[in-house]
Amino acid sequence: MKIDDKDGLDSGMPGNLYGRLQVMESEKAPFDPPGRIRAAAAPLLSWYDSHARILPWRERPEPYRVWISEIMLQQTRVEAVKPYFGRFMEALPDIGALAQVEEERLLKLWEGLGYYNRARNLKKAAVTVVENYDGRLPASYEELLKLPGIGSYTAGAIASIAYGIPVPAVDGNVLRVVSRLLASREDILKPSVKRRMEDCLRAVMPQKRAGAFNQGLIEIGAIVCIPGGQPRCDECPLYSLCLARRQGLLDSIPYRAPKKPRKVEERTVLLLEAGDMVAIEKRADKGLLASLYQFPNVEGRLTPQEADRTLKALGAGVKDIVPAGEAKHVFSHVEWHMTGYRILLEHVMEERYLFVNRRELREKYPIPNAFSAYIKVINGES
Ligand code: ADE
């Protein structure tokens, strides 16, 4: 690999420190896609060494910690994951503890992260690891892939970050960074496009420092080549190599084929209070938000009079009914548009709902984020 002060086709940005690490690319012999990724490795690793954020799972990249953090990071941003990760590690410090945890406790630790089947799969995989792998996550990409909830991204992340195995870990960040690097206009939502990117990365990624290489790509995607905003190209170690930037295609790459619009469902949420107690119910054990708890709710957007009539038909003694605001929650395929009412009851309706106090609501029962606006209402926070 040639390292040069200049960087061939496109001289490095003044002030871009990584210009010096760029590999020569000549107009006559531009890099092919694998060659471009290969050329990106040195500036990427050098940048990662000095710019990687200090994160709890990076400070001690043990297999269990990498696994849990990666699954959580598929749900939400790094800053939001940190407190979840801390609480999870304290409550379930190792695979043995995870394998034995009660489902409701596990879901409470996951509450607010969404996609609760991911938490259930963590436990299933932990049980398998205890039974079949002596309680240690296998140091093999192929074996990791066999575990429930572990797909190519997570298997690649654990294998490379925790065990140094040279396999790729392609998530949304990496798809964005690499498709821009290569000016690829292919639809990044297609599994075949992701598979080809994985194959290409696997063939050319450095055999040493695989974890840093993968995390470097992820990190550039998180803090430089950011989603949904203007990329911070002047801070990017791949500035000169990036074909989308050179060709003015940053607005159109990564490309995603338009998705069909989500279905909208109107629901009316009933916050039933009797003294200090609040009504909740368990959702069905299949489908959306399976087995989690929720405030009672019905289809449609009811007026206060309709809500009153519905409750009276169920035998409720309604003392008062007050609007509790509108809320919206977006799932992957459906949106809930909710109207809430706070309803003061004369007595609990034990045969129909579970009545719990606010401490139990906070500490014991997993309630999905879809209801967070109404949790605030119940807690007097809005
Ligand atoms: N997003 C996905 N994986 C990550 C990691 N290991 N560090 C920071 N952000 C990430």
Side-chain angles (χ1 to χ4, degrees):
M1 224 189 262
K2 285 200 223 159
I3 309 265
D4 202 287
D5 274 346
K6 294 198 213 87
D7 44 9
L9 265 189
D10 184 90
S11 61
M13 273 279 297
N16 186 317
L17 294 170
Y18 298 90
R20 283 180 348 112
L21 275 163
Q22 304 289 5
V23 176
M24 279 282 269
E25 179 181 20
S26 76
E27 217 156 327
K28 280 194 195 130
F31 290 126
D32 61 359
R36 190 166 303 279
I37 296 172
R38 204 179 282 120
L44 176 69
L45 288 170
S46 165
W47 176 85
Y48 184 71
D49 287 342
S50 51
H51 289 76
R53 287 167 296 175
I54 296 169
L55 300 172
W57 46 92
R58 287 192 181 153
E59 286 181 315
R60 280 171 44 207
E62 295 144 21
Y64 177 62
R65 293 166 62 85
V66 172
W67 176 34
I68 302 301
S69 64
E70 289 298 343
I71 300 291
M72 287 183 172
L73 287 160
Q74 286 164 38
Q75 307 288 130
T76 185
R77 297 166 301 108
V78 163
E79 285 311 312
V81 163
K82 282 182 186 171
Y84 279 95
F85 182 76
R87 282 194 296 270
F88 198 99
M89 284 300 140
E90 195 159 318
L92 307 171
D94 53 40
I95 293 189
L98 174 58
Q100 284 177 14
V101 71
E102 251 184 51
E103 176 162 308
E104 209 142 289
R105 179 144 182 258
L106 175 65
L107 294 176
K108 192 70 193 168
L109 286 165
W110 205 259
E111 182 186 74
L113 278 173
Y115 288 102
Y116 293 82
N117 279 342
R118 291 199 169 141
R120 294 191 179 95
N121 278 333
L122 283 177
K123 177 176 160 128
K124 277 194 212 154
V127 170
T128 308
V129 169
V130 167
E131 283 173 2
N132 301 347
Y133 298 95
D134 216 10
R136 274 191 296 270
L137 280 163
S140 150
Y141 176 78
E142 286 72 22
E143 292 298 307
L144 286 164
L145 263 185
K146 291 181 191 165
L147 294 169
I150 297 196
S152 64
Y153 168 73
T154 314
I158 300 170
S160 63
I161 299 169
Y163 293 121
I165 299 170
V167 286
V170 175
D171 69 350
N173 286 315
V174 177
L175 279 162
R176 182 172 56 260
V177 171
V178 176
S179 49
R180 280 182 170 164
L181 176 69
L182 304 178
S184 161
R185 292 171 213 231
E186 293 195 277
D187 179 0
I188 59 160
L189 298 177
K190 278 191 179 167
S192 59
V193 170
K194 179 173 162 181
R195 261 194 313 274
R196 257 182 284 130
M197 190 181 289
E198 286 169 345
D199 291 345
C200 184
L201 283 164
R202 188 195 277 254
V204 297
M205 66 189 285
Q207 298 301 290
K208 290 187 182 152
R209 309 208 62 210
F213 176 81
N214 286 336
Q215 289 195 88
L217 287 174
I218 292 168
E219 197 75 347
I220 289 184
I223 64 180
V224 177
C225 199
I226 49 179
Q230 274 301 109
R232 303 181 177 139
C233 297
D234 53 346
E235 293 167 30
C236 184
L238 310 182
Y239 179 90
S240 313
L241 286 166
C242 180
L243 285 186
R245 185 197 60 77
R246 278 172 22 187
Q247 296 171 10
L249 296 174
L250 290 167
D251 288 341
S252 52
I253 295 177
Y255 172 71
R256 292 177 194 82
K259 282 199 240 170
K260 64 173 192 207
R262 289 187 202 92
K263 197 169 119 199
V264 172
E265 283 181 14
E266 303 265 11
R267 302 202 72 83
T268 301
V269 177
L270 306 168
L271 305 171
L272 303 170
E273 295 179 62
D276 290 341
M277 310 298 265
V278 183
I280 57 171
E281 62 186 358
K282 195 167 185 172
R283 287 180 63 83
D285 60 5
K286 293 253 153 35
L288 184 69
L289 306 175
S291 301
L292 298 173
Y293 289 80
Q294 65 176 3
F295 297 117
N297 59 88
V298 292
E299 246 178 64
R301 174 193 279 259
L302 270 51
T303 62
Q305 294 74 22
E306 287 167 334
D308 189 49
R309 248 181 277 131
T310 304
L311 284 162
K312 284 189 173 142
L314 295 175
V318 176
K319 279 206 288 198
D320 196 11
I321 179 159
V322 187
E326 314 256 310
K328 182 167 130 178
H329 191 79
V330 179
F331 298 94
S332 51
H333 300 292
V334 70
E335 287 182 28
W336 282 359
H337 292 192
M338 293 169 283
T339 304
Y341 294 107
R342 190 165 189 173
I343 295 144
L344 304 184
L345 298 177
E346 280 159 5
H347 45 77
V348 295
M349 301 163 73
E350 267 165 347
E351 59 306 330
R352 197 164 185 101
Y353 303 117
L354 184 62
F355 277 80
V356 300
N357 63 34
R358 283 164 175 74
R359 190 179 56 76
E360 290 172 311
L361 194 62
R362 197 171 53 245
E363 293 176 7
K364 184 157 180 221
Y365 296 97
I367 312 256
N369 255 358
F371 296 97
S372 58
Y374 298 113
I375 291 271
K376 284 196 183 141
V377 171
I378 286 293
N379 289 333
E381 293 163 12
S382 79

